[in-house]
Amino acid sequence: MSEQNAFLFEVAPHHDARVPVAGQGLSRWRAARYLLLAVLLSAGVILAPFLATVLISFSRPGAWSDVLSDGQAWQAVGNSLIWWVLVVVVCAVGLGLAWLVRNAGPALGLVMRVILVLPAVVSPLTTGAIFRLLFDTSRERGMAAALLGRDMAFLGPGWIWLVLGLAFVWQYAGVAFLVFHEALARLPSSLLRMARAFGVGRRRRLWSVVLPALAGPAALAYLFALVAAARVFDLVLMGVPGSTQALVEGGGLYWWRHNDDLGDAGAAALAVLMSLLVAGLASPALLGLRGRVSWADPAPAARPPADRGRRLWPLGGAVSVLWLLPFAALLLTSLREPTAAARTGWWNGEPWTLGSYAEALSDSAFTGALGTTFLRAVAVVCVVLLAAVPAAYVLAHEHLLPRRAWRPVLLVSVALAALPPQAFAVPLQRWLSPVGTPLALTIVHAALVMPLAVLVLHNAFVRVPAPMLARDRWELFHVVREARPAVVLAGVLAFVLVWNDAVVGLLLNWPSGDHLPLILLEQARHFMSAASPLAAQAVIATAVPVLVLAVTGRRLYRGLTRGVRR
């Protein structure tokens, strides 16, 4: 570190936003009770089955050596690392967009916040269907091939990773943009003025001031994208033709296809290997989740020059159009007559019809799955908040846990948030079968969402200003009231993840007629002939989380960026 940077590091304020230790607070016994439900869910649904998977992996001599010498398994693990590269790309695109429009003014910022976040609530199945339509190999059906004027093997070897990468970035870069946009807007301007006063160049200011201040937001954006990448499954099943899936399938999809061939011990060894890989990739997020830099800037942000805001509108408009184009393709495909949609693309101007929507709404299996999935998602939200709120409250008070235990507990929470379900699927399926399938699926979903909800709430609870706390037995109530946006965010995350999830149902051999995403997945078997009905069902399925997003928009945005009301 140069002398100039060392001086800047010493004078830059490193705010400790954690709740200060109070003389009177929760007892260790009461803190343990607050952690009880979260621990039971994590231990019963994730940790114990994972330990059982580890034991099964050593039950047959040579199971590990067979997996480690399996070329196809290593190809799948290598593909998982490509998905991790896409996680970094998602964060980089989100940061780049936020940096470009950081001084664009409130109007353009609002437009981009609304449009860019919409794909995040879309099912990966729907995303796969959209990009498969856009990049169909025939110029008669695929828009990208039509623009080039010739048939292109976009869904074959050599191009398929580009299609999947674009789909993944489109779906999740908006979340990273929201986080970084707010962080840059509230970056303490005094730090930058001080750096300029000491003659620090623009590039050095970026590395010495801006990036350290973005550590917490970057960790949150990275963790969100990593959870999506670790559980990527249905995007490949829907978006990639069956003949090409083996080239791009990650470890999770490979495990699902070949667990019978590998045997119990071999499948368990592969699941443990994947879990170790994901845990290692998730551990850097722990460094930014300590709440050491406050985003609050006491001075109001200066308004950007009017001419600069006007110059950025074309850029913002172009990005917005690109982000809305996949939605337009899906909607217009759903409005076409099924036979025409199977032959040509949506831009051919043939008469529109609502026939596919009428067919979807008259299908009792589809409408029944809509109601069942909605009720299940609401039940999961209730369970998650009951478990995650008190657990995050205890983690926000570091003095309530032994000093040596606090950091490992947070590390385990980060690892559990990104752990692939394949790591505990087989033991869990055996143990929960006597419980009854509807209750079992609700419990599993709640346990999978709960670690991520704990991290989101913890990130907000450590920012609750100390004077607002009552320091009595109602303290948790005051903390929740102040961190209400983060509570809303945790609830919406739980709802959207359950509503869009197809992985858990497949791993637990769930009947397809009960859970909505599995209904959509069945259409992938006849993708081209069912393009219009599939698009209509996808639009209806997407409307529900979009409506939730619209109702909770303001609080959701605050929960994702600040976590607290003010």
Side-chain angles (χ1 to χ4, degrees):
M1 179 182 292
S2 66
E3 182 179 353
Q4 190 178 60
N5 282 344
F7 179 78
L8 282 173
F9 180 82
E10 292 296 331
V11 299
H14 294 266
H15 305 289
D16 190 351
R18 294 170 291 176
V19 178
V21 177
Q24 295 181 351
L26 286 178
S27 65
R28 294 281 174 87
W29 172 245
R30 193 175 174 190
R33 284 190 294 154
Y34 279 10
L35 287 169
L36 181 61
L37 182 55
V39 170
L40 287 177
L41 281 173
S42 298
V45 179
I46 301 179
L47 287 178
F50 175 68
L51 293 177
T53 301
V54 174
L55 294 177
I56 293 173
S57 70
F58 292 100
S59 63
R60 177 174 63 84
W64 275 93
S65 60
D66 290 345
V67 170
L68 295 177
S69 60
D70 188 341
Q72 291 182 327
W74 276 111
Q75 178 183 347
V77 173
N79 289 339
S80 298
L81 291 176
I82 295 178
W83 285 105
W84 173 76
V85 172
L86 291 177
V87 169
V88 178
V89 173
V90 163
C91 295
V93 170
L95 176 59
L97 291 174
W99 182 262
L100 288 174
V101 301
R102 66 191 185 280
N103 294 323
L108 180 58
L110 177 61
V111 170
M112 295 193 66
R113 287 199 303 267
V114 171
I115 292 177
L116 267 62
V117 78
L118 285 177
V121 301
V122 174
S123 166
L125 285 172
T126 301
T127 300
I130 292 173
F131 278 79
R132 189 166 172 178
L133 289 171
L134 290 174
F135 288 92
D136 191 282
T137 57
S138 171
R139 64 180 181 274
E140 297 295 327
R141 297 188 301 266
M143 189 186 71
L147 291 175
L148 296 175
R150 59 192 181 95
D151 295 349
M152 291 289 294
F154 285 119
L155 301 179
W159 288 97
I160 188 61
W161 274 115
L162 174 63
V163 176
L164 291 176
L166 291 174
F168 192 76
V169 170
W170 175 78
Q171 183 155 31
Y172 297 108
V175 177
F177 166 80
L178 284 182
V179 174
F180 287 122
H181 179 70
E182 175 69 10
L184 289 172
R186 303 187 67 81
L187 184 69
S189 56
S190 57
L191 297 183
L192 297 175
R193 287 197 301 267
M194 187 179 301
R196 284 194 294 266
F198 281 91
V200 178
R202 177 175 297 181
R203 182 177 301 178
R204 188 61 58 84
R205 290 201 302 270
L206 176 65
W207 285 102
S208 301
V209 179
V210 177
L211 291 184
L214 295 179
L220 193 60
Y222 175 80
L223 188 60
F224 280 139
L226 183 63
V227 169
R231 299 175 182 177
V232 69
F233 196 95
D234 32 5
L235 175 62
V236 175
L237 283 179
M238 180 66 80
V240 182
S243 59
T244 313
Q245 288 181 7
L247 298 176
V248 295
E249 63 184 2
L253 187 55
Y254 178 84
W255 183 96
W256 180 64
R257 293 187 188 281
H258 299 281
N259 66 88
D260 290 337
D261 301 332
L262 294 170
D264 289 345
L270 178 59
V272 173
L273 179 63
M274 291 162 42
S275 303
L276 294 175
L277 175 65
V278 172
L281 296 177
S283 58
L286 183 67
L287 301 176
L289 292 176
R290 296 298 302 272
R292 294 199 176 277
V293 178
S294 172
W295 293 1
D297 187 357
R303 288 193 166 212
D307 58 339
R308 177 175 175 80
R310 286 193 295 268
R311 289 199 306 269
L312 289 175
W313 267 101
L315 172 63
V319 172
S320 300
V321 169
L322 286 176
W323 247 255
L324 287 175
L325 179 61
F327 286 111
L330 180 69
L331 179 62
L332 294 175
T333 300
S334 71
L335 293 174
R336 300 194 68 211
E337 195 274 327
T339 304
R343 294 197 318 265
T344 59
W346 49 267
W347 59 88
N348 283 277
E350 296 190 25
W352 310 117
T353 176
L354 295 176
S356 294
Y357 287 94
E359 179 182 346
L361 295 177
S362 63
D363 185 348
S364 59
F366 178 74
T367 54
L370 278 174
T372 302
T373 307
F374 180 83
L375 293 176
R376 181 176 294 122
V378 172
V380 169
V381 169
C382 296
V383 174
V384 166
L385 292 182
L386 284 174
V389 167
Y393 171 69
V394 172
L395 289 178
H397 293 69
E398 294 183 22
H399 65 287
L400 297 177
L401 294 175
R403 184 175 296 274
R404 294 182 179 179
W406 181 87
R407 189 176 181 86
V409 167
L410 194 59
L411 178 60
V412 170
S413 298
V414 172
L416 292 181
L419 195 65
Q422 292 82 359
F424 45 83
V426 173
L428 197 61
Q429 182 182 357
R430 297 172 183 172
W431 298 351
L432 291 181
S433 56
V435 178
T437 47
L439 178 61
L441 193 60
T442 301
I443 293 173
V444 173
H445 274 303
L448 288 178
V449 176
M450 195 267 302
L452 185 60
V454 168
L455 293 173
V456 167
L457 293 169
H458 165 267
N459 210 35
F461 286 176
V462 296
R463 293 189 172 94
V464 176
M468 296 180 183
L469 302 183
R471 295 296 167 191
D472 56 23
R473 62 181 180 176
W474 298 105
E475 180 181 346
L476 176 58
F477 170 78
H478 294 283
V479 173
V480 170
R481 183 181 61 180
E482 185 61 27
R484 193 180 306 160
V487 176
V488 172
L489 172 62
V492 172
L493 276 176
F495 184 92
V496 171
L497 289 176
V498 174
W499 182 264
N500 291 332
D501 180 79
V503 179
V504 172
L506 287 174
L507 295 181
L508 296 182
N509 293 329
W510 196 253
S512 60
D514 184 66
H515 201 59
L516 181 62
L518 299 183
I519 294 268
L520 299 178
L521 186 58
E522 285 186 349
Q523 300 280 7
R525 300 175 183 176
H526 312 284
F527 184 86
M528 289 315 305
S529 61
S532 180
L534 172 61
Q537 290 182 351
V539 169
I540 296 172
T542 302
V544 175
V546 169
L547 180 62
V548 172
L549 181 67
V551 171
T552 62
R554 184 178 296 274
R555 287 183 179 176
L556 191 66
Y557 171 65
R558 288 183 177 271
L560 187 62
T561 54
R562 306 178 197 177
V564 295
R565 292 189 301 172
R566 54 186 102 183

